[in-house]
Amino acid sequence: MDDVIFRSPRKRGRVAVFLSGRGSNFMAIREAVRRGDINVDIALVFSNRVDAPGLAKAREWGLKTLFLNPKLFASREEYDRAVIQELEQRQIDLVCLAGYMKVLTPELCDAFQHRIVNIHPALLPSFPGLHVQQKAIDWGVRFSGCTVHFVAAEVDLGPIILQAVVPVLQDDTEETLAARILVEEHRIYPEAVRLYFEGRIEVRGRRVFILEPEA
Ligand code: GRF
């Protein structure tokens, strides 16, 4: 078996959620925090979109928010350098991408290796990219689902932490399939964050092992 290249920390984690849109996954994570199901503080909600509804929600809930305007930076690299600084200043342990519609630079991925996770609405490595619910329908697969994975420099290709499967029905539209998948997203994303800060995630090669809870 491959050597262990990463073991997640057992601690109260400081999490940053990155979003560009409605933020329902952010809300699911926040709800799990509120219920006491996961041992984290949401220390930052970050967006590249000033009008992201998820950002407005975070403000309403009194969470720390930050918007950085991509237009004010000369390049993606400069933008992500500013992001790295913000994350370091706030001592962020884990970044949860939740509908963040900006591809991260290799520099950011490397600076936060095994400290950035993403949720994707398909069973990776099938259907990376965008509009994947429609692609799953068009391909004719019988099952789709969602994937929580570590973020590596190659888009949608980091080691897989959790997946959930949903059936694709004959009369599904992009919307109905997306809605069925979303229910599972809201279940497995907080679950992955919980396992992470219980120190139960171990990476060997490209495989992620979920460890038994410590006694
Ligand atoms: C979700 O479908 C997620 O899988 C994808 O982007 C969408 C974000 O939705 N990465 P929301 O903003 O969390 O509601």
Side-chain angles (χ1 to χ4, degrees):
M1 205 193 293
D2 285 317
D3 289 342
V4 175
I5 53 175
F6 174 75
R7 169 91 181 262
S8 68
R10 186 176 178 177
K11 65 185 289 199
R12 184 161 181 90
R14 291 175 59 76
V15 166
V17 180
F18 282 28
L19 52 80
S20 305
R22 71 189 159 180
S24 71
N25 278 288
F26 150 59
M27 291 174 208
I29 292 170
R30 192 253 181 186
E31 181 54 25
V33 174
R34 214 186 49 81
R35 281 199 308 263
D37 290 352
I38 55 181
N39 188 25
V40 309
D41 293 310
I42 300 179
L44 180 66
V45 178
F46 174 79
S47 188
N48 62 327
R49 298 273 318 250
V50 70
D51 57 352
L55 199 61
K57 206 49 175 173
R59 259 188 235 114
E60 204 180 298
W61 285 333
L63 294 170
K64 291 238 161 56
T65 61
L66 178 67
F67 157 67
L68 289 181
N69 187 348
K71 292 200 182 106
L72 301 181
F73 293 82
S75 63
R76 289 173 57 221
E77 286 70 24
E78 269 191 34
Y79 187 84
D80 275 3
R81 255 169 237 141
V83 170
I84 292 171
Q85 246 182 29
E86 296 288 348
L87 295 174
E88 281 173 351
Q89 257 168 31
R90 293 174 162 83
Q91 297 177 303
I92 298 297
D93 297 302
L94 182 70
V95 173
C96 294
L97 305 182
Y100 182 63
M101 302 303 286
K102 203 169 191 304
V103 175
L104 306 188
T105 56
E107 193 175 333
L108 174 50
C109 296
D110 291 348
F112 277 76
Q113 216 201 354
H114 297 119
R115 289 192 291 154
I116 310 178
V117 292
N118 181 42
I119 182 123
H120 182 77
L123 294 175
L124 291 173
S126 291
F127 309 116
L130 297 174
H131 305 295
V132 295
Q133 296 92 341
Q134 188 61 54
K135 284 179 189 159
I137 293 171
D138 293 345
W139 194 264
V141 293
R142 299 295 187 207
F143 295 94
S144 189
C146 51
T147 305
V148 179
H149 63 95
F150 282 110
V151 172
E154 311 80 22
V155 176
D156 294 336
L157 276 186
I160 290 169
I161 302 171
L162 292 179
Q163 289 186 307
V165 177
V166 308
V168 179
L169 306 180
Q170 307 231 77
D171 57 355
D172 260 334
T173 62
E174 184 174 10
E175 290 72 31
T176 58
L177 178 58
R180 193 176 310 115
I181 292 173
L182 201 60
V183 172
E184 294 303 304
E185 294 186 33
H186 295 167
R187 185 176 65 77
I188 68 169
Y189 211 177
E191 169 75 2
V193 175
R194 181 174 69 75
L195 293 168
Y196 190 95
F197 288 110
E198 285 178 356
R200 292 174 58 193
I201 290 184
E202 192 172 89
V203 183
R204 293 171 179 261
R206 355 182 350 108
R207 291 181 71 192
V208 172
F209 290 81
I210 308 292
L211 307 176
E212 290 302 317
E214 273 173 35

